[in-house]
Amino acid sequence: MTVPPEISITPLTPAIGAEVHGVDLGELDDATIRQIREAFLAHHVLVFRDQSLDRDQHKAIGRLFGDLHIHPSKRTLGAKGDPEIFTVKTDENSVHNNGGRWHMDVSCEEMPPLGSMLLLTEAPPFGGDTLFANMHLAYETLSDPIKELLIKLTARHDGLQDLRWYGVEPKPGQTYPAHSHPVVVRHAETGRPLLFVNEAFTSHIEGLSGAESDALLKMLFTHISGSPSLQCRVRWEPGTLTFWDNRCTQHLAVWDYAPHIRRGERVTIAAATAPAAFGS
Ligand code: SIN
């Protein structure tokens, strides 16, 4: 019997992220897929270098983890292009870069995606990194009284808030998702608690006054963005594919490379369940 080679995993930080070596994502066997699944749950963000994948291969790898997600810009706003591919492109004419604020991808949906796989095809000579933060640790590093307060709360996630940040307004008759989710969520696979609010999509905490909600969210967003020990930073090259667990991480794409171009394609994996409250 042939024993499949072990893949090798190098953590990026103790908190989050790992580089996976010895894997050609175009040639996966069952044993390697199993090791990737384990590493994904352990490190939340996996970085694969030197991948050469066409679109169909990219989608097929995404489908190993679930159905493919269609972004609401394609579903409800009529944006053109392959519905299963989300294109990321920033050049010298861009006004905003995609994902330039801390966020979980489309947390405004009833079932925000399980995860995303972004493959960069063009990278600037330097810069253009993506920061990721671990939402399990974001929750665990809060004080007990604040944890007790948060565990009872729900928050509204409004897609329009994010859309407007990009200067986009739906046309008359077009809708964009908005949903409420628990502020502290149980991870669908590991059961671990995690903080589920983000600067891009979360408009307010329900049942609080506007001033209370703003103050609490500001404290939580500062905790996430201002705690480097929760984070890692992924450096990209053409052919780098990064697979993140959208259920328990947030990310921010740094735009520090103008006038250079950064381009890639993202395949996103749909979740099978909506975020459930921890403790429910
Ligand atoms: C995104 O928010 O999905 C984009 C991340 C990136 O471009 O690094």
Side-chain angles (χ1 to χ4, degrees):
M1 195 176 87
T2 321
V3 178
E6 284 288 312
I7 65 177
S8 117
I9 292 175
T10 313
L12 293 177
T13 70
I16 182 169
E19 284 218 20
V20 183
H21 310 279
V23 173
D24 175 353
L25 290 169
E27 303 276 343
L28 290 173
D29 56 53
D30 289 348
T32 307
I33 295 167
R34 213 165 30 247
Q35 291 176 77
I36 292 173
R37 278 185 204 285
E38 279 168 22
F40 182 63
L41 292 180
H43 298 282
H44 319 301
V45 175
L46 299 180
V47 181
F48 301 84
R49 302 286 180 195
D50 303 319
Q51 301 298 320
S52 169
L53 302 169
D54 63 27
R55 266 195 189 167
D56 287 339
Q57 287 174 306
H58 191 177
K59 289 185 196 182
I61 297 158
R63 284 198 188 92
L64 294 171
F65 295 86
D67 293 334
L68 297 192
H69 170 268
I70 299 176
H71 195 272
S73 60
K74 300 248 169 75
R75 231 180 32 240
T76 67
L77 300 186
K80 302 269 182 299
D82 184 329
E84 293 174 336
I85 296 287
F86 184 85
T87 302
V88 167
K89 181 178 174 231
T90 306
D91 62 21
E92 69 279 16
N93 300 315
S94 300
V95 178
H96 290 285
N97 71 321
N98 183 73
R101 293 192 297 171
W102 280 105
H103 68 288
M104 297 162 138
D105 293 328
V106 284
S107 66
C108 57
E109 295 195 317
E110 183 183 6
M111 292 201 274
L114 177 156
S116 282
M117 294 176 172
L118 175 62
L119 175 65
L120 236 62
T121 50
E122 192 169 349
F126 40 81
D129 299 351
T130 305
L131 308 184
F132 290 89
N134 179 330
M135 290 305 106
H136 294 300
L137 287 184
Y139 177 69
E140 285 163 17
T141 50
L142 294 167
S143 65
D144 287 342
I146 293 291
K147 284 187 201 156
E148 277 163 37
L149 169 68
L150 296 179
I151 216 152
K152 304 184 201 96
L153 298 174
T154 59
R156 193 76 179 157
H157 295 242
D158 185 354
L160 275 182
Q161 170 175 301
D162 185 58
L163 212 56
R164 288 182 176 139
W165 186 75
Y166 293 102
V168 178
E169 198 62 44
K171 297 199 178 77
Q174 289 181 333
T175 57
Y176 210 64
H179 276 276
S180 300
H181 299 297
V183 169
V184 183
V185 159
R186 170 195 303 280
H187 191 281
E189 286 182 80
T190 64
R192 281 181 72 189
L194 63 107
L195 184 60
F196 200 83
V197 289
N198 67 86
E199 190 185 356
F201 288 97
T202 310
S203 58
H204 62 280
I205 297 183
E206 294 170 323
L208 303 189
S209 70
E212 289 168 341
S213 167
D214 287 352
L216 192 50
L217 285 177
K218 184 168 177 216
M219 182 277 285
L220 294 173
F221 297 158
T222 304
H223 176 56
I224 293 162
S225 64
S227 302
S229 57
L230 306 178
Q231 302 170 10
C232 71
R233 187 166 181 129
V234 171
R235 170 100 188 92
W236 299 85
E237 294 153 0
T240 300
L241 182 145
T242 300
F243 178 23
W244 62 87
D245 189 335
N246 192 56
R247 300 164 296 187
C248 63
T249 66
Q250 294 190 21
H251 56 286
L252 178 155
V254 181
W255 187 18
D256 54 359
Y257 47 87
H260 297 289
I261 299 174
R262 182 179 182 275
R263 189 194 313 258
E265 295 197 342
R266 194 180 89 192
V267 161
T268 297
I269 300 133
T273 55
F278 183 74
S280 63

